[in-house]
Amino acid sequence: MHPGAASNICKGDAVVRVSRLRRKTSKLATATAPTHLSQPNPAAASPVFHKNDKTKKKSIRLTLWPLVAATFFMVSGGTYGTEDIVHGAGYGKAILILLLTPLLWSLPTAFMIGELSSALPFEGGYYAWVRRAMGNFWGFQEAWLSLVASIFDMAIYPTLFVAYLTRMFPYFQENHRGVAVALGVVVVCAALNIMGVKVVSTTSLWLFFALSAPFAAIFLLAPFKYHALANAVTKPTTSNVDILGGLLICMWNYMGWDNASTIA
C-alpha cells in the first residue's frame, strides 16, 4: 500500500470519529438545555374563545318593540290612575290637559334623553351623565335621590292594582287579603327585575297588549253602544283634587323618560 494512501485512510478515520463526536450530545448539555425546542405556534398564542364565552360576553340588546313596551310602563303604563284628572278638571279640561301635557312636558324630555343617549351611551344612563358633567358628588346625589323617589313611586302601583281589583272582586276587601295581593305584586315584580332586562322587556311587551286590550275593545264596541249613554247617570265624587292637582297627576303620569336611558 502506498504511504500516501495509508495517511489518507487515517485522516478519513479521524474525520469520521470527529463527526461522530460532534453529533453526540454531552451529558452537561442534556442536563441544562431542553431536549425539544418547538417553534412558537401563532394559533396557540392567540386566545381561544368558545361559543359559550361569546354568548356570555355579548351585551344584551333590546329590539324595538320590547324597548317601546318597557318605556311605556316606565312612563305611563296606561290610563290607570288618571281618574282624578277628570274629577279635578272636568271632562273637557281633562282631555285638553291629556293632549297638551305630552307635547309641552314629555316631548322635550324625550328629545333630550334621546340626544344624550346617542352622544353618551354609558351604562347607568342619567347617573353617568350627571357624574360626567358635575362630578362624583352630584352623581352620587342623582343616584340616591332617584332611588328614594322610586321607593315612593313604586308603592303607588300595588295600591292601584288592589284598588281596581277590589272594585271588581269585593272578596279581597276582607281581612288583609288586599295587603297580601299587594305584597305578591311586589315580589313578582322584584323577581322579574332580578332575572334581567331581557325578561323585563319581554314581560312588558305581553303586559302592554293585555292592559291595552280592554281599551281597544271599548273603542271598537263604543259606536254600537252609543244609545247606552242617553240614560247614563253620573254620581258625585268625593275627590278633593282641583285643576292644579289634576295637572300634576297628568305630569306624573307622563314622566319617567330618563329611566329608558338605563336599558336602551
Short mmCIF file of all heavy atoms in Angstrom, two decimals, residues 4 14 24-25 27 43 58 62 74 109 119 123 126 149 207 216 220 222:
data_model
loop_
_atom_site.label_atom_id
_atom_site.label_comp_id
_atom_site.label_asym_id
_atom_site.label_seq_id
_atom_site.Cartn_x
_atom_site.Cartn_y
_atom_site.Cartn_z
N GLY A 4 1.06 7.27 1.04
CA GLY A 4 0.08 8.37 0.95
C GLY A 4 -1.33 7.88 1.11
O GLY A 4 -2.18 8.53 1.72
N ALA A 14 -10.08 9.60 11.18
CA ALA A 14 -10.12 10.70 12.16
C ALA A 14 -11.30 11.61 11.90
O ALA A 14 -11.97 12.08 12.82
CB ALA A 14 -8.79 11.46 12.10
N LYS A 24 -22.76 13.61 18.90
CA LYS A 24 -23.11 13.11 20.22
C LYS A 24 -23.21 14.27 21.20
O LYS A 24 -22.28 15.04 21.35
CB LYS A 24 -22.05 12.12 20.69
CG LYS A 24 -22.44 11.43 22.00
CD LYS A 24 -21.40 10.40 22.38
CE LYS A 24 -21.79 9.69 23.68
NZ LYS A 24 -20.78 8.69 24.06
N THR A 25 -24.35 14.38 21.86
CA THR A 25 -24.57 15.48 22.80
C THR A 25 -23.99 15.13 24.15
O THR A 25 -24.13 14.01 24.64
CB THR A 25 -26.08 15.74 22.96
OG1 THR A 25 -26.64 15.89 21.67
CG2 THR A 25 -26.32 16.98 23.78
N LYS A 27 -23.37 15.11 28.26
CA LYS A 27 -24.28 14.98 29.40
C LYS A 27 -24.57 16.32 30.04
O LYS A 27 -25.66 16.57 30.55
CB LYS A 27 -23.68 14.03 30.43
CG LYS A 27 -23.58 12.60 29.93
CD LYS A 27 -23.02 11.71 31.02
CE LYS A 27 -22.93 10.26 30.54
NZ LYS A 27 -22.39 9.38 31.58
N ALA A 43 -51.35 30.02 16.49
CA ALA A 43 -52.72 29.65 16.90
C ALA A 43 -52.81 29.38 18.38
O ALA A 43 -53.80 29.69 19.03
CB ALA A 43 -53.18 28.41 16.11
N LYS A 58 -71.33 38.78 25.23
CA LYS A 58 -72.13 39.59 24.33
C LYS A 58 -73.11 40.42 25.13
O LYS A 58 -73.83 39.93 25.98
CB LYS A 58 -72.88 38.69 23.36
CG LYS A 58 -73.67 39.47 22.31
CD LYS A 58 -74.35 38.51 21.36
CE LYS A 58 -75.16 39.28 20.32
NZ LYS A 58 -75.86 38.36 19.39
N LEU A 62 -81.79 45.25 23.28
CA LEU A 62 -83.23 45.12 23.14
C LEU A 62 -83.64 45.47 21.73
O LEU A 62 -83.07 46.36 21.11
CB LEU A 62 -83.94 46.04 24.13
CG LEU A 62 -83.71 45.78 25.61
CD1 LEU A 62 -84.52 46.75 26.44
CD2 LEU A 62 -84.11 44.36 25.97
N MET A 74 -92.52 52.40 32.04
CA MET A 74 -91.72 53.31 32.87
C MET A 74 -92.26 54.73 32.84
O MET A 74 -92.03 55.51 33.77
CB MET A 74 -90.27 53.29 32.41
CG MET A 74 -89.51 52.03 32.81
SD MET A 74 -87.76 52.09 32.40
CE MET A 74 -87.83 51.96 30.63
N THR A 109 -88.52 66.36 26.89
CA THR A 109 -87.73 65.44 27.72
C THR A 109 -87.29 64.22 26.91
O THR A 109 -86.14 63.76 27.02
CB THR A 109 -88.55 64.99 28.93
OG1 THR A 109 -89.02 66.14 29.65
CG2 THR A 109 -87.72 64.13 29.86
N ALA A 119 -75.24 60.57 22.29
CA ALA A 119 -73.93 61.20 22.47
C ALA A 119 -73.10 60.53 23.56
O ALA A 119 -71.88 60.41 23.44
CB ALA A 119 -74.12 62.68 22.79
N GLU A 123 -73.38 52.98 30.41
CA GLU A 123 -74.23 52.21 31.30
C GLU A 123 -74.52 53.05 32.55
O GLU A 123 -73.63 53.63 33.14
CB GLU A 123 -73.54 50.91 31.69
CG GLU A 123 -73.38 49.92 30.56
CD GLU A 123 -72.82 48.60 31.03
OE1 GLU A 123 -72.56 48.48 32.25
OE2 GLU A 123 -72.63 47.70 30.20
N TYR A 126 -78.72 58.35 33.04
CA TYR A 126 -78.69 59.70 33.60
C TYR A 126 -77.69 59.84 34.74
O TYR A 126 -77.13 60.92 34.96
CB TYR A 126 -80.09 60.10 34.07
CG TYR A 126 -80.74 59.12 35.01
CD1 TYR A 126 -80.49 59.15 36.38
CD2 TYR A 126 -81.61 58.16 34.54
CE1 TYR A 126 -81.08 58.26 37.24
CE2 TYR A 126 -82.22 57.25 35.39
CZ TYR A 126 -81.95 57.31 36.74
OH TYR A 126 -82.54 56.41 37.59
N ALA A 149 -86.82 58.36 45.28
CA ALA A 149 -88.04 58.67 44.55
C ALA A 149 -88.72 57.40 44.04
O ALA A 149 -89.96 57.29 44.08
CB ALA A 149 -87.73 59.60 43.38
N LEU A 207 -97.59 42.38 28.73
CA LEU A 207 -98.49 43.16 29.58
C LEU A 207 -99.06 44.37 28.86
O LEU A 207 -100.17 44.81 29.14
CB LEU A 207 -97.75 43.61 30.85
CG LEU A 207 -97.46 42.53 31.88
CD1 LEU A 207 -96.65 43.11 33.04
CD2 LEU A 207 -98.75 41.91 32.40
N ALA A 216 -108.99 48.84 23.81
CA ALA A 216 -109.23 48.57 22.40
C ALA A 216 -110.63 48.01 22.18
O ALA A 216 -111.32 48.36 21.21
CB ALA A 216 -108.17 47.59 21.88
N LEU A 220 -113.69 49.76 19.98
CA LEU A 220 -114.35 49.09 18.87
C LEU A 220 -115.86 48.93 19.11
O LEU A 220 -116.66 48.98 18.16
CB LEU A 220 -113.72 47.72 18.63
CG LEU A 220 -112.25 47.73 18.16
CD1 LEU A 220 -111.71 46.31 18.08
CD2 LEU A 220 -112.12 48.44 16.81
N ALA A 222 -117.78 50.89 21.18
CA ALA A 222 -118.48 52.13 21.53
C ALA A 222 -119.45 52.61 20.45
O ALA A 222 -120.56 53.05 20.78
CB ALA A 222 -117.45 53.22 21.84
#
